[in-house]
């Protein structure tokens, strides 16, 4: 029999970490039919030339927030053009399996910086499901570009059972009937093939809208009994808990690590926790992450830290950045939606004194380093401040850095654009973290924070560091981005051997260069032309195929992208799920 597609002459990496070799790959009916050093008969086949390039399984991105975007633009082109062929959403307790459009917008929009009106409109236009199985079926009817897999979000689950108001009221505990209904819906989600449960325990993330604005997410209100019962189901099914600890109480990491451990013959609770990083605000933190996870796993746990293997650089328009939720004065400003009200607050001297106290408090929990000398202005109607830090502007004006920052926000609003690097800024420390076996590559947040950051190309950046820095082999780097993830999450992806899905990427190693560190801006038509941050490395990825169909080829999307369903809903392994009858 002939082949539909032949990828010819590239250096082939199979995704298992095995040695690479120059091979020809024959694809038939969406699967790899041949991997061979011999020439393949190209009669009738589409040939993708790969000589001098690397051919590997498509990358797996295990932490995105594509929940709304996949409905509006199911080709998910920003990931596909960078070789990602499998994406996971439903992260951070947020999913759209059960809640309606208005509740989903209140849950998502402020936390993940996705415009609220677009979340509402997208779900109003596309929502046709009531159950997890119907949700999976609805996704499979879309012209998906990459494959998708999903968590059930605990905030989605809790709000749909209790109502959004009751689920975020600390005085209200779920009734026995409500706890039972949460269990049943989680079981249904796992039977539908969802990866597990995602939760949020950190109180810094707040809700949008007018009804319950600035309340923390429903998952943060869960009782110990509620979590215990939901964890039992996830554990018994061999699925995954994705979690974020309460960063106000770092000691809460210990119970979370302990929960992963299987006791008395029960299986471990597979746990993926955010996030392993070399944080500027606490440089010692990275040194305990590996030992903590290692200790849990030696005691019988199955614990991984999620890790973004690139410097964590964020941009902001004015004060619109989630890091300000960390302290009271910042959260108070973000609570106000109207610019007039917000500016009045930012001018108030009592408020500014409070902001300065928060800014200078060295002992409060933090992710942001709160150093305005390390926050650089890249755009402003006043050209005199562009290229300077807020600290430099403060020195020139003879004021406190907080006053310089707030003055510029009041004067220019969202036209003031600036950036800072929060973590992963030291190359040697980043290499050390990326090599830890207790971390897994991910946490791109693709589909969220559209004006704040762009990490769609993080797999290419890890490959570049491995290729040029040598801190791990390229085979190992490929494995970490593909087969290692797919195996742990239990999905059909991540390897490129005979019989495997023909999801693959062709990379030009000569273009694993400094261009990967650049971010640009481009309009997103499906969200009303919103200008979002993106990566553009179209010379680095020369081809992306899903199910054997080229979607991105030689710097352009093909006619199949966004019009033909190539990806599918990847269901987690059919492990026994406890009956709740």
């Amino acid at each position: 029999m002939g082949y539909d597609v032949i990828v010819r002459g590239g250096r082939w990496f199979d995704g298992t970490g095995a040695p690479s070799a120059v091979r020809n790959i024959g694809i038939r009916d969406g699967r790899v039919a041949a991997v061979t050093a011999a020439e393949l008969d190209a009669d009738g086949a589409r040939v993708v030339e790969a000589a001098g390039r690397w051919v590997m399984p498509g990358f797996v991105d295990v932490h995105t927030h594509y929940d709304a975007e996949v409905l509006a633009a199911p080709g998910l082109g920003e990931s596909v053009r960078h070789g990602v062929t499998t994406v996971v959403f439903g992260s951070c307790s947020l999913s759209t399996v059960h809640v309606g459009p208005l509740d989903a917008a209140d849950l998502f929009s402020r936390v993940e910086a996705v415009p609220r009106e677009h979340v509402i409109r997208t779900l109003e236009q596309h929502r046709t499901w009531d159950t997890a199985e119907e949700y999976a079926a609805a996704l499979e009817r879309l012209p998906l570009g990459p494959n998708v897999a999903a968590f059930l979000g605990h905030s989605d689950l809790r709000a749909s059972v209790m109502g959004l108001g009751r689920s975020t009221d600390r005085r209200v505990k779920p009734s026995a009937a409500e706890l039972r209904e949460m269990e049943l819906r989680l079981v249904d989600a796992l039977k539908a093939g969802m990866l597990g449960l995602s939760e949020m325990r950190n109180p810094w993330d707040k809700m949008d809208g007018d009804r319950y604005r600035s309340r923390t997410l429903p998952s943060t209100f869960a009782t110990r009994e509620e979590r215990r019962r939901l964890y039992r189901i996830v554990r018994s099914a061999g699925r995954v808990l994705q979690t974020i600890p309460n960063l106000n109480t770092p000691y809460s990491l210990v119970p979370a690590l302990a929960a992963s451990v299987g006791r008395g013959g029960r299986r471990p609770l597979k746990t993926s926790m955010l996030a392993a990083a070399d944080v500027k605000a606490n440089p010692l933190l990275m040194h305990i992450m590996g030992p903590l996870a290692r200790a849990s796993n030696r005691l019988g746990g199955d614990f991984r830290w999620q890790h973004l293997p690139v410097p964590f650089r964020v941009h902001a328009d004015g004060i619109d950045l989630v890091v300000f939720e960390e302290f009271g004065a910042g959260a108070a400003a973000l609570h106000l939606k109207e610019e007039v009200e917000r500016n009045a607050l930012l001018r108030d001297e009592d408020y500014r004194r409070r902001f300065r106290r928060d800014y200078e408090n060295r002992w409060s929990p933090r992710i942001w380093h709160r150093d305005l000398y390390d926050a650089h202005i890249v755009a402003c109607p006043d050209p005199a401040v562009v290229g300077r830090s807020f600290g430099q502007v403060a020195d020139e004006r003879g004021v406190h850095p907080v006053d310089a920052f707030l003055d510029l926000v009041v004067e220019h609003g969202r036209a003031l654009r600036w950036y800072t690097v929060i973590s992963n800024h030291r190359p040697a420390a980043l290499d050390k973290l990326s090599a830890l076996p207790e971390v897994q590559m991910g946490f791109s947040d693709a589909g969220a924070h559209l004006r704040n950051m762009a990490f769609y190309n993080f797999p290419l950046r890890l490959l570049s560091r491995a290729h040029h820095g040598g801190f791990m082999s390229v085979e190992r780097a490929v494995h970490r981005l593909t087969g290692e993830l797919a195996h742990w999450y239990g999905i059909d992806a991540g390897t490129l051997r005979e019989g495997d899905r023909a999801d693959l990427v062709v990379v030009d190693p000569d273009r694993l260069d400094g261009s990967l560190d650049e971010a640009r801006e481009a309009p997103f038509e499906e969200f009303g032309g919103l200008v979002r941050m993106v990566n553009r490395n179209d010379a680095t990825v020369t081809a992306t195929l899903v199910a054997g169909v080229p979607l991105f080829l030689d710097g352009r999307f093909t006619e199949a992208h966004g019009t033909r369903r190539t990806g599918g809903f990847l269901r987690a392994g059919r492990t026994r799920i406890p009956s709740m009858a």
Side-chain angles (χ1 to χ4, degrees), residues 462-528:
L462 180 67
L463 289 179
S464 178
R465 288 170 45 223
H467 181 44
H468 296 295
F471 76 102
M472 70 169 65
S473 70
V474 174
E475 285 85 353
R476 172 66 174 143
V478 171
H479 175 60
R480 304 223 72 185
L481 295 163
T482 58
E484 180 178 279
L485 297 168
H487 176 76
W488 196 79
Y489 283 90
I491 53 178
D492 181 17
T495 52
L496 193 64
R497 304 160 300 183
E498 290 186 7
D500 286 337
R501 297 174 56 90
D503 305 329
L504 63 90
V505 55
V506 182
V507 172
D508 184 348
D510 292 336
R511 299 306 297 265
L512 291 171
D513 53 28
S515 67
L516 299 175
D517 300 330
E518 300 171 1
R520 303 185 186 181
E521 296 184 349
F524 182 32
E525 299 305 329
E526 287 80 4
F527 278 7

Side-chain angles (χ1 to χ4, degrees), residues 32-361:
V32 178
V35 179
T36 178
E39 289 294 323
L40 295 175
D41 183 2
D43 186 33
R46 184 171 189 170
V47 177
V48 176
E49 296 291 354
R53 296 169 182 171
W54 296 345
V55 182
M56 60 193 69
F59 305 125
V60 180
D61 189 345
V62 298
H63 190 117
T64 81
H65 290 281
Y66 274 137
D67 307 74
E69 185 171 332
V70 72
L71 304 174
L76 300 178
E78 294 304 326
S79 287
V80 166
R81 75 191 307 150
H82 291 98
V84 175
T85 60
T86 299
V87 301
V88 175
F89 40 81
S91 304
C92 301
S93 86
L94 305 172
S95 61
T96 58
V97 178
H98 292 296
V99 293
L102 187 59
D103 285 354
D106 285 357
L107 290 170
F108 270 89
S109 299
R110 182 166 163 185
V111 173
E112 303 302 341
V114 181
R116 188 169 185 272
E117 65 274 17
H118 298 305
V119 175
I120 293 173
R121 188 185 72 245
T122 298
L123 282 168
E124 286 178 343
Q125 290 176 349
H126 296 279
R127 184 180 171 87
T128 59
W129 58 86
D130 292 309
T131 67
E133 182 59 48
E134 291 171 354
Y135 175 69
L139 291 176
E140 291 213 303
R141 288 192 295 269
L142 298 170
L144 292 171
N147 304 298
V148 301
F151 284 98
L152 176 64
H154 190 190
S155 288
D156 174 14
L157 176 64
R158 196 170 208 267
S160 68
V161 171
M162 298 178 64
L164 188 57
R166 292 181 68 250
S167 72
T168 54
D169 186 335
R170 198 165 297 281
R171 298 167 298 179
V172 177
K173 308 299 180 188
S175 67
E178 287 170 335
L179 284 173
R180 178 70 170 175
E181 182 62 23
M182 287 187 221
E183 290 179 305
L184 290 170
R185 292 188 183 190
L186 176 57
V187 168
D188 285 345
L190 300 184
K191 286 181 176 178
M194 300 189 84
L195 300 182
L197 182 73
S198 72
E199 69 170 6
M200 168 66 72
R201 305 186 71 168
N202 186 33
W204 296 351
D205 290 337
K206 308 294 197 309
M207 292 206 303
D208 204 354
D210 297 317
R211 298 173 300 163
Y212 313 109
R213 187 172 183 82
S214 295
R215 292 188 186 182
T216 60
L217 295 177
S219 182
T220 64
F221 294 88
T223 63
R224 181 177 301 177
E225 173 65 9
E226 179 181 334
R227 287 199 173 93
R228 185 190 66 79
R229 291 171 65 163
L230 297 179
Y231 289 2
R232 181 183 66 83
I233 294 169
V234 177
R235 184 194 302 272
S236 297
R239 301 292 173 82
V240 176
L241 172 70
Q242 184 207 78
T243 183
I244 303 176
N246 185 336
L247 298 177
N248 283 336
T249 56
Y251 56 82
S252 65
L253 285 174
V254 176
L257 287 157
S260 178
V261 176
R263 301 186 187 92
R266 68 178 183 176
R267 69 197 314 168
L269 175 61
K270 296 179 76 171
T271 303
S272 176
M273 180 178 285
L274 276 69
D278 177 26
V279 180
K280 281 186 179 179
N282 189 348
L284 297 179
L285 186 62
M286 65 164 282
H287 297 289
I288 68 171
M289 290 182 167
L292 282 174
R294 208 167 300 129
S296 173
N297 293 339
R298 284 174 178 168
L299 290 171
D302 195 353
F303 184 94
R304 301 292 186 276
W305 294 102
Q306 286 189 20
H307 168 63
L308 182 68
V310 302
F312 201 90
R313 176 170 170 162
V314 295
H315 287 70
D317 299 319
I319 201 171
D320 289 343
L321 187 63
V322 70
V323 297
F324 289 104
E325 304 276 17
E326 292 180 3
F327 55 92
L334 295 178
H335 174 75
L336 300 173
K337 293 192 296 183
E338 299 300 326
E339 191 170 17
V340 172
E341 286 185 273
R342 186 181 287 184
N343 284 348
L345 178 68
L346 299 184
R347 289 189 187 98
D348 182 79
E349 186 54 39
D350 288 339
Y351 172 80
R352 289 190 173 212
R353 283 197 292 268
R354 179 186 174 196
F355 198 112
R356 287 194 291 268
R357 284 196 301 271
D358 287 340
Y359 173 82
E360 293 170 345
N361 185 351

